[in-house]
Amino acid sequence: MSEKTIRLIITRQKDQDGKSYKEEFELPYRENMNVISALMEIRRNPYNAQGEETTAVSWEASCLEEVCGACSMVINGKPRQSCTALVDQLEQPIRLEPMRTFPVVRDLVVDRSRMFDSLKRVKAWVPIDGTYDLGPGPRMPEAKRQWAYELSKCMTCGVCLEACPNVNDKSEFIGPAALSQVRLFNAHPTGAMHKAERLNTLMDGDGGLSNCGNSQNCVQACPKGIPLTTSIAALNRDTTLQSFKNFFGSDNNF
Amino acid sequence: MAQNREYFLRKMHSLLGVIPVGLFIIVHFGVNYFSTRGEAEYNQAVNFMENLPFRYTMEIFIIFLPILFHAIYGIYIAFQARHNTNNFSYFRNWMFRFQRISGIIVLIFMAWHVWETRIAAAMGQEVNFDMMANIVENPVALIAYIIGIVSTTFHFANGLWSFGITWGITVSPRSQQISTYVTLGVFLALTYVGVASILAFV
């Protein structure tokens, strides 16, 4: 075993109402470690850097290949997925914190329910259920499909919400992720049948599209490279036109 | 309309910042620039503005009310953000932060500026070259004016950039990039006009 070690400073919290505190860990270095394997090492041997026995750190992970979004956390100040955060590329000590934009469940585990509620709010799906077979939908041009695929890479990981200065406890802003999904499903040939409904939802009530302050952190932070700010600007155009239609247009404004 | 109040207020906030407040700033800075041509020409321009027909109506509906709405709703927006430029030190995030800081500075500056000029005028003081020269005789006041002017031009220019996005005019990243350059030009040009005007009183 090599003498080399890695150091981690983890922001921990016992439960939802618990006070957060920092705990330091020192682990034996292995080649090609990621943050997840470091956390697994702590689970295997739950002693902190002072040599005291402690509880294993809680975190979430699922796919381990950056497509599920479950293992997002703040690593050295930046929100990202811990599965693709390679120890060799990180400055030490590695600081791990939960994404505090969301309610912290325990240690690094957060509750991203608000994001899934947002997807329900904007109806981020293509409605195809009926009482009979509706048959095949209209076809989509290949170029458009490739474009839409980029938007569909969103894994609801929460990094864009964590990076956004306008998503916080003082505001109800829905955040970039769900907004971009509106653009995706409004572009789908069948999804477009509910376009006006989705746009009206974004204009309705508090925390909708207009809460965006154009800090454009989201597009820099998105691990999937989704053009979030382009989505937001495009929706600004769509909702502007929709609101004109609603006010000046006839009753046929779908 | 009651349901989508926030959307409507935000859009109004963006619109009023440019039309009429932004246009007012351009006219105001333009008239101020007469100071660089000397006392007589400046006093003549002030006299012309003072005697415009429908002056009070225009003041109320083109200047006071839109600025009041923009300022009050702007304070609400400014204090809604939790700034994170420490971890995300990107250009646009700094602009986001400066936009909110400059907005508050402009509000404080404007309150003082209106008190010293417009309200003083309403109390019977004559508005002319000497009035401004007396104010900026004090170096502290001159520095405060320069800070106020630069904050105003920045807030307007950067606000113009986000106006393009808010109304869905500049959608593509390329158009937003070009609009950054254009609004930078607006900032530099207006700052020159504003600072040259105030220095002419010294």
Side-chain angles (χ1 to χ4, degrees):
Chain A
M1 206 181 97
S2 79
E3 297 290 305
K4 221 171 139 187
T5 59
I6 60 168
R7 295 204 305 131
L8 292 106
I9 299 174
I10 303 177
T11 303
R12 306 193 56 180
Q13 183 170 327
K14 200 163 181 275
D15 50 42
Q16 284 225 21
D17 310 312
K19 246 184 83 121
S20 73
Y21 61 96
K22 286 189 167 63
E23 194 163 31
E24 203 172 329
F25 294 88
E26 196 159 6
L27 320 169
Y29 173 84
R30 278 183 285 123
E31 271 184 8
N32 303 323
M33 279 180 103
N34 60 4
V35 168
I36 296 274
S37 65
L39 288 167
M40 283 172 153
E41 183 61 37
I42 294 173
R43 188 164 63 189
R44 199 176 295 130
N45 187 26
Y47 286 87
N48 64 24
Q50 285 76 41
E52 300 155 355
E53 187 167 7
T54 182
T55 51
V57 178
S58 296
W59 84 96
E60 277 189 313
S62 178
C63 74
L64 302 182
E65 54 181 9
E66 206 186 69
V67 290
C68 78
C71 68
S72 310
M73 58 183 72
V74 179
I75 301 169
N76 287 349
K78 288 263 193 330
R80 55 186 295 191
Q81 278 70 54
S82 46
C83 62
T84 46
L86 305 180
V87 166
D88 289 335
Q89 294 168 3
L90 293 171
E91 194 185 82
Q92 292 205 27
I94 300 166
R95 289 169 288 119
L96 303 181
E97 295 160 75
M99 295 196 297
R100 288 205 196 83
T101 295
F102 303 95
V104 178
V105 177
R106 181 185 163 95
D107 295 339
L108 302 169
V109 180
V110 296
D111 179 3
R112 288 177 293 136
S113 295
R114 61 168 289 177
M115 294 193 76
F116 304 107
D117 291 339
S118 297
L119 291 177
K120 289 183 218 162
R121 178 175 160 195
V122 300
K123 299 209 167 115
W125 56 75
V126 174
I128 48 166
D129 289 341
T131 51
Y132 60 96
D133 183 3
L134 297 169
R139 296 198 47 158
M140 193 188 231
E142 173 59 14
K144 191 178 178 186
R145 186 200 63 75
Q146 286 185 14
W147 163 85
Y149 183 70
E150 296 304 318
L151 298 187
S152 76
K153 283 181 180 172
C154 178
M155 51 193 181
T156 328
C157 68
V159 163
C160 58
L161 272 71
E162 175 72 19
C164 178
N166 267 1
V167 175
N168 59 49
D169 50 319
K170 290 185 283 187
S171 118
E172 288 179 57
F173 183 34
I174 189 168
L179 294 177
S180 192
Q181 290 303 296
V182 170
R183 185 160 80 123
L184 171 64
F185 287 99
N186 278 358
H188 187 280
T190 310
M193 293 177 185
H194 295 259
K195 188 176 175 188
E197 192 184 338
R198 290 195 195 92
L199 294 177
N200 284 325
T201 305
L202 293 186
M203 295 189 278
D204 200 12
D206 285 341
L209 173 67
S210 61
N211 259 35
C212 170
N214 298 307
S215 78
Q216 303 206 332
N217 282 350
C218 54
V219 75
Q220 303 265 8
C222 179
K224 298 282 107 180
I226 298 170
L228 294 165
T229 49
T230 312
S231 284
I232 290 172
L235 288 169
N236 275 327
R237 179 179 293 178
D238 292 345
T239 52
T240 299
L241 295 175
Q242 184 66 40
S243 66
F244 287 171
K245 258 193 213 170
N246 290 350
F247 188 74
F248 298 107
S250 73
D251 48 3
N252 177 21
N253 47 20
F254 301 104
Chain B
M1 290 298 278
Q3 306 141 303
N4 54 25
R5 231 177 62 227
E6 189 183 66
Y7 181 85
F8 180 73
L9 293 176
R10 281 271 190 162
K11 275 274 203 277
M12 278 301 114
H13 182 257
S14 175
L15 179 67
L16 293 178
V18 176
I19 305 163
V21 177
L23 293 177
F24 160 69
I25 287 169
I26 292 172
V27 172
H28 190 18
F29 275 49
V31 174
N32 288 351
Y33 199 70
F34 275 108
S35 66
T36 60
R37 296 186 190 171
E39 190 172 341
E41 283 217 39
Y42 180 80
N43 286 342
Q44 199 190 344
V46 168
N47 192 42
F48 173 77
M49 294 307 286
E50 268 184 335
N51 292 307
L52 280 178
F54 310 112
R55 174 186 162 197
Y56 293 109
T57 314
M58 287 201 288
E59 270 186 340
I60 291 171
F61 290 101
I62 301 178
I63 307 175
F64 297 151
L65 289 180
I67 287 183
L68 210 57
F69 171 79
H70 191 83
I72 293 171
Y73 200 64
I75 295 172
Y76 169 70
I77 293 175
F79 286 102
Q80 220 174 23
R82 283 208 189 280
H83 294 290
N84 54 10
T85 42
N86 287 338
N87 284 333
F88 303 92
S89 55
Y90 308 119
F91 173 71
R92 271 293 148 210
N93 199 25
W94 276 109
M95 294 297 109
F96 173 88
R97 186 169 198 164
F98 287 148
Q99 184 70 0
R100 278 144 187 80
I101 295 170
S102 63
I104 301 297
I105 293 175
V106 171
L107 180 61
I108 296 166
F109 167 71
M110 210 166 52
W112 175 61
H113 174 59
V114 169
W115 169 257
E116 275 208 320
T117 55
R118 185 63 189 84
I119 294 183
M123 304 290 216
Q125 202 182 328
E126 203 192 330
V127 179
N128 54 25
F129 193 91
D130 290 337
M131 178 197 224
M132 284 311 297
N134 284 337
I135 293 173
V136 297
E137 215 175 36
N138 180 352
V140 178
L142 179 63
I143 290 167
Y145 257 92
I146 291 172
I147 292 173
I149 288 166
V150 175
S151 301
T152 305
T153 53
F154 173 81
H155 193 82
F156 172 57
N158 194 48
L160 201 56
W161 177 83
S162 50
F163 174 89
I165 295 179
T166 301
W167 287 90
I169 299 162
T170 48
V171 170
S172 68
R174 177 92 182 123
S175 65
Q176 293 178 8
Q177 189 66 45
I178 301 284
S179 133
T180 299
Y181 300 141
V182 172
T183 52
L184 178 68
V186 170
F187 169 66
L188 293 175
L190 275 180
T191 304
Y192 169 75
V193 173
V195 174
S197 307
I198 196 71
L199 290 179
F201 291 107
V202 180

